[in-house]
Amino acid sequence: MSKIPVLLNASNNHMQEILKLNQDLVHFLSDLDMASLTELGNMAEMFKVVEVDGKVAAFLIAVRENKPYASVNYKWFLDNYDKFLYVDRVVVSEDYQHMGIGRLIYNEVFNHAKSTGVDRVTAEIDIKPPNPVSLKFHEAFGFKEVGKQMVAGGKKEVSLQSVQL
């Protein structure tokens, strides 16, 4: 087993594994079923998977501005910025964390943004309940808080973050 992460465009062959991975970590994410995952994937600017030895170890969904995406966090960025790449979710399987996969994905996000003329990358991180690992990770990439909001019917608070490239 090589354990070398390979970044690929997501395909229909990956969808079941992506959905399972989303559900495994749904406490940090919004719930998806196959229809909503397909719809989100179709509007995504970037829909990628990271495979390790042929298994989906992580995935990324990032969306550009002016898409018909109903996410309250996406809409916040849409109301506040003209041009951006919104990282909707980066999910790394617990079995593959601490292997540099998150850095691999974010380097790809930044390279894509720069190569397509986008100078702002946005994301949100849970702060109630807290997700200190994600906060520290995003801080290392230069993300700064630009707002906060309650989501999930008041059950969660998120830090809305942005980095200017």
Side-chain angles (χ1 to χ4, degrees):
M1 298 263 173
S2 64
K3 299 269 187 201
I4 297 171
V6 179
L7 187 65
L8 304 165
N9 288 325
S11 73
N12 287 338
N13 295 337
H14 296 118
M15 297 297 274
Q16 285 296 336
E17 286 183 90
I18 292 168
L19 195 59
K20 181 184 181 320
L21 188 50
N22 191 86
Q23 294 313 106
D24 288 348
L25 298 170
V26 76
H27 56 284
F28 291 123
L29 308 162
S30 57
D31 195 18
L32 291 174
D33 58 19
M34 189 57 75
S36 57
L37 174 61
T38 300
E39 181 181 2
L40 183 53
N42 287 337
M43 76 175 78
E45 174 80 6
M46 300 179 75
F47 188 16
K48 303 275 188 177
V49 296
V50 176
E51 288 185 354
V52 176
D53 295 328
K55 181 176 183 328
V56 173
F59 73 93
L60 155 75
I61 299 175
V63 182
R64 283 288 303 272
E65 72 282 347
N66 298 322
K67 298 292 183 180
Y69 187 25
S71 159
V72 295
N73 297 316
Y74 174 79
K75 286 180 178 180
W76 189 95
F77 291 115
L78 198 54
D79 289 343
N80 288 278
Y81 299 109
D82 292 332
K83 193 174 190 180
F84 59 89
L85 180 59
Y86 169 67
V87 177
D88 181 69
R89 60 193 73 210
V90 170
V91 181
V92 180
S93 167
E94 291 177 343
D95 294 339
Y96 295 96
Q97 292 181 0
H98 311 292
M99 291 178 56
I101 291 173
R103 282 190 307 280
L104 173 74
I105 290 171
Y106 265 85
N107 286 334
E108 182 73 8
V109 166
F110 290 150
N111 288 336
H112 180 83
K114 289 175 190 171
S115 73
T116 57
V118 177
D119 65 354
R120 180 177 305 280
V121 176
T122 62
E124 84 277 344
I125 298 119
D126 289 356
I127 53 176
K128 288 183 186 170
N131 189 343
V133 173
S134 184
L135 279 170
K136 185 175 180 182
F137 177 84
H138 285 85
E139 183 181 286
F141 275 97
F143 282 85
K144 304 273 188 247
E145 185 172 273
V146 292
K148 291 181 185 179
Q149 67 182 0
M150 298 301 292
V151 297
K155 295 178 187 163
K156 287 183 174 184
E157 184 176 15
V158 295
S159 170
L160 300 151
Q161 304 229 342
S162 173
V163 61
Q164 186 92 30
L165 305 178

